[in-house]
Amino acid sequence: MDAKTLGDFIAGRRRELGLTQAQLAARMHLTDKAVSRWERGVGLPDLATLELLAAVVGRYRK
């Protein structure tokens, strides 16, 4: 999966949950700028962040 595809998924899922970028970032203890970069396909979340991101958007349960 490339950065743009992942970013589109994150943005779509965030919107389905009714969250702003700032709200998603706050739940993950990150900045809204990080979420914005992911959604624009400019950057990717690091591996340590992926599990938390999956849990927050509801696609993974440990």
Side-chain angles (χ1 to χ4, degrees):
M1 179 178 297
D2 65 11
K4 182 62 178 152
T5 303
L6 180 61
D8 290 344
F9 172 78
I10 294 169
R13 191 66 186 123
R14 175 183 59 76
R15 289 182 189 114
E16 287 174 11
L17 294 170
L19 298 172
T20 65
Q21 287 180 344
Q23 290 168 325
L24 176 59
R27 288 184 182 194
M28 298 183 65
H29 305 286
L30 300 169
T31 66
D32 57 335
K33 289 179 180 14
V35 174
S36 175
R37 282 192 301 271
W38 302 339
E39 290 186 2
R40 290 181 291 128
V42 175
L44 293 168
D46 60 39
L47 292 176
T49 306
L50 281 176
E51 185 175 355
L52 177 58
L53 176 61
V56 170
V57 299
R59 295 287 190 195
Y60 174 80
R61 298 283 185 241
K62 193 168 189 180

